[in-house]
């Protein structure tokens, strides 16, 4: 097998940069899992004891806590080490998949693919936030989103469906991705009749939907049997037992619009301009444009039920940074390439808050 030396060198640089960032931001206190605030409290409890009486919706996000529980119980690995390993490995895997999305799927030159992967590596709510608060399901959820987008544009149906199905056990927002394959398949061939591929996609979509609904039903019944009095109905949250109350509470937090802008800073602008150019060239026949708009809509819906808006909107990273990379790759000459390093440095300064 032929080794791509340029990619190998970049992977080593990316691993070194990720390690330095993790060392800088991770909490190395002897017992940091003893914290008493935030989402991490629920996930820590779940990873120590199955079917813990934690609030909705955390109790149904079983994948990452179950993996931690398995490794600590089976191999006796230190609890915090296991959480840290999953956080680092899932984040690094997401960065590698994103690089391959740019280079292999979007056909962006290696230079631009590498630079924009570094942009993602220094996006605060994709990396450093999770390194500091490493007892969260977010790193695996970020990997699910990048991997699903990769399989979507590679037109690999069953890997996409498997990623969404497994991801929905980790965090329910993964199910937002489910309709995307049917949407892009219809864009490819906008006819229902005599389109066996589209009917196959619709069947697979329905299968994953039934799987998730069955999972929710079984889990809610099981959790309520173990933890009577805790409400696990869809849309309720730790702050309220009603959907309306949960939305009102969530929207009352982080009301400053800058918190959303700060997720990607000036890359929001390049992303928006990139979408405009895609619309001018392809209209609504662009799968990247439609997928981007769908992801933004999904993030807005997710924001209704989340107090940390930044952790929701960062799920759009594969396409916000992907479209930006396409824009720069298509409009930057060889002589202008050094300017990208200045843009990257400015982005790092903003995200690391130097």
């Amino acid at each position: 097998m032929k080794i791509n030396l340029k990619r190998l060198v970049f992977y080593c640089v990316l691993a070194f940069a990720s390690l330095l960032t993790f060392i800088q931001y991770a909490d190395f206190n002897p017992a940091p899992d003893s914290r008493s605030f935030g989402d991490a409290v629920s996930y820590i409890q779940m990873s120590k004891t199955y079917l813990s009486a934690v609030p909705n919706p955390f109790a149904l996000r079983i994948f990452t806590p179950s993996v931690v529980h398995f490794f600590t119980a089976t191999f006796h690995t230190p609890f915090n080490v296991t959480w840290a390993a999953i956080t680092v490995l899932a984040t690094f895997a997401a960065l590698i998949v994103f690089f391959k999305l740019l280079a292999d799927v979007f056909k962006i030159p290696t230079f631009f693919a590498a630079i924009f992967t570094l942009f993602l590596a220094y996006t605060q709510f994709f990396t450093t936030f999770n390194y500091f608060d490493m007892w969260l399901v977010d790193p695996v959820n970020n990997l699910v989103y990048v991997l699903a987008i990769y399989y979507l544009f590679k037109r690999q149906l069953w890997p996409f469906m498997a990623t969404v199905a497994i991801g929905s056990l980790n965090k329910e927002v993964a199910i937002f991705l489910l309709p995307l394959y049917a949407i892009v398949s219809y864009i490819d061939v906008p006819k229902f009749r005599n389109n066996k591929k589209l009917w196959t996609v619709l069947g697979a979509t329905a299968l994953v939907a039934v799987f998730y609904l069955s999972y929710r039903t079984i889990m809610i019944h099981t959790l309520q049997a173990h933890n009577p009095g805790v409400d696990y109905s869809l849309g309720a949250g730790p702050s309220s037992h009603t959907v309306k109350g949960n939305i009102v509470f969530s929207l009352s937090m982080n009301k400053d619009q800058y918190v959303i802008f700060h997720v990607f800073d000036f890359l929001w602008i390049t992303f928006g301009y990139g979408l405009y150019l895609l619309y001018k060239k392809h209209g609504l026949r662009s799968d990247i444009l439609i997928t981007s708009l769908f992801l933004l809509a999904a993030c807005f819906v997710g924001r209704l039920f989340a107090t940390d808006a930044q952790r929701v909107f960062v799920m759009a990273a594969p396409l916000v940074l992907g479209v930006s990379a396409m824009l720069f790759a298509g409009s930057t000459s060889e002589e202008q390439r050094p300017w990208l390093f200045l843009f990257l440095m400015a982005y790092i300064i903003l995200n690391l808050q130097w």
Side-chain angles (χ1 to χ4, degrees), residues 102 106 108 112 116 278 288 321-331:
L102 297 184
F106 292 167
I108 294 173
F112 293 97
F116 276 88
L278 285 172
I288 297 177
L321 275 72
V323 171
S324 298
M326 293 171 63
L327 176 67
F328 276 91
S331 60

Side-chain angles (χ1 to χ4, degrees), residues 29-59:
N29 290 320
D33 59 288
S34 61
R35 60 180 55 208
S36 58
F37 63 92
D39 298 356
V41 175
S42 295
Y43 299 131
I44 289 169
Q45 186 176 340
M46 290 168 64
S47 59
K48 290 181 177 179
T49 307
Y50 281 128
L51 302 176
S52 298
V54 300
N56 190 37
F58 309 117

